[in-house]
Amino acid sequence: MADAPSLIIRPLQETDRAEWAEMWTGYLEYYETSVPDEIYDSTFARLLGDDPRDFNGLVAEKEGRLLGLTHFLFHRHGWKVEDVCYLQDLYTRPEARGEGVAGALINAVYDAADKAGAPSVYWLTQDFNATARKLYDKIGVLTPFIKYQRP
């Protein structure tokens, strides 16, 4: 019996633009929002840039097709000397959900944080995101914080 192709987690590349945009659109649609084309352009450029304060992008690939993405960044924290890591976006294509894509991407962010000396990785999700929260409850710790933002 032949081995099933394995999932590859790797940095986002310039050649990923079309599939990345398709997945990020799906992510934004899930959260019932959209952004103008100029935001796609600036976000993709930042993901590929070399500014250490900008975003990082990882993708999950299997058999030459991208199945998921994550965007994360490192930033200073008033209670720590080290930077912390914020996992901003995480998306898996619907047909690949339940196959370990999201968990592999989160673990890759954990690895990146460890390599960068960041003692903390955190993220937000909406309370109705029940499917994702089942994974998050296994791979992370729910905090009591409630988010507020400027209207």
Side-chain angles (χ1 to χ4, degrees), residues 46-142:
R46 288 174 179 169
L47 287 164
L48 294 179
D50 57 5
D51 183 337
R53 297 284 173 204
D54 251 339
F55 296 97
N56 298 278
L58 297 174
V59 291
E61 179 182 7
K62 189 172 188 179
E63 298 180 325
R65 181 160 191 257
L66 301 187
L67 300 179
L69 64 77
T70 187
H71 305 153
F72 62 98
L73 61 96
F74 297 100
H75 66 87
R76 293 181 179 178
H77 191 288
W79 299 355
K80 295 175 178 20
V81 172
E82 310 88 355
D83 285 351
V84 297
C85 181
Y86 175 50
L87 192 162
Q88 183 169 16
D89 303 321
L90 177 68
Y91 179 79
T92 301
R93 290 186 189 273
E95 66 272 17
R97 292 183 184 152
E99 296 181 16
V101 174
L105 285 165
I106 292 171
N107 279 314
V109 173
Y110 285 176
D111 289 345
D114 290 345
K115 286 178 187 166
S120 172
V121 176
Y122 71 100
W123 63 94
L124 304 171
T125 194
Q126 291 188 323
D127 60 353
F128 63 77
N129 195 353
T131 301
R133 290 184 66 187
K134 287 178 187 174
L135 169 65
Y136 301 162
D137 287 342
K138 292 176 187 172
I139 204 164
V141 175
L142 178 65

